[in-house]
Amino acid sequence: MARVLIVDDSPSQLLVLKRIVEAQGHEVITAEDGQQGVDMAKKHIPDLILMDVVMPNLNGFQATRTIAREKTTSHIPVILVTTKDQDTDRMWGLRQGAKAYITKPFSETELSELIAQYLGGAPAA
């Protein structure tokens, strides 16, 4: 079982993402904004982070950049999960250190496959 940090300021999105990750048998920890996400990443050193972009305090791009540059967290893969669907947003997110970028609304299958890709194993059926 892996530990996955989900960072999203929307309670409904947190629940949806948590359900998908837990269906794959992983432990979930959550944060409600980018700064809290950075703090939780440093404290818990998760195996994977699912990060929203549009959030208060520190946005997902900034939080991803901080996590990617921090010595203790730079090895953690970050998947950006966002409504920002422009090619420039995708390129910018990957330049900040994200390993993957998926837009909302996403298919549960697509997200499950990405999670499995970075955590190993097969996605939940």
Side-chain angles (χ1 to χ4, degrees):
M1 171 172 33
R3 178 180 293 150
V4 178
L5 171 60
I6 301 172
V7 186
D8 200 309
D9 63 326
S10 164
S12 60
Q13 279 297 308
L14 273 175
L15 283 174
V16 168
L17 292 166
K18 185 175 181 187
R19 182 182 52 77
I20 291 168
V21 171
E22 287 178 338
Q24 290 186 278
H26 304 301
E27 176 188 352
V28 171
I29 52 178
T30 62
E32 296 175 3
D33 65 48
Q35 184 58 58
Q36 193 178 65
V38 169
D39 295 342
M40 295 292 275
K42 289 178 183 177
K43 180 179 178 181
H44 296 284
I45 312 295
D47 300 293
L48 177 68
I49 299 171
L50 301 180
M51 177 83 69
D52 186 22
V53 170
V54 182
M55 295 182 289
N57 299 327
L58 198 65
N59 71 42
F61 292 143
Q62 295 165 317
T64 298
R65 182 173 56 242
T66 301
I67 289 165
R69 290 182 178 171
E70 179 77 32
K71 186 176 182 176
T72 58
T73 56
S74 63
H75 68 283
I76 304 168
V78 177
I79 299 173
L80 290 171
V81 183
T82 180
T83 56
K84 296 181 75 62
D85 63 356
Q86 300 296 310
D87 287 341
T88 54
D89 296 321
R90 179 180 306 274
M91 286 178 12
W92 185 245
L94 296 174
R95 287 186 66 191
Q96 301 315 301
K99 298 298 182 199
Y101 193 103
I102 186 172
T103 56
K104 299 173 187 175
F106 51 82
S107 94
E108 187 170 330
T109 301
E110 183 182 12
L111 182 59
S112 293
E113 287 173 355
L114 267 177
I115 293 167
Q117 176 183 337
Y118 287 98
L119 293 178

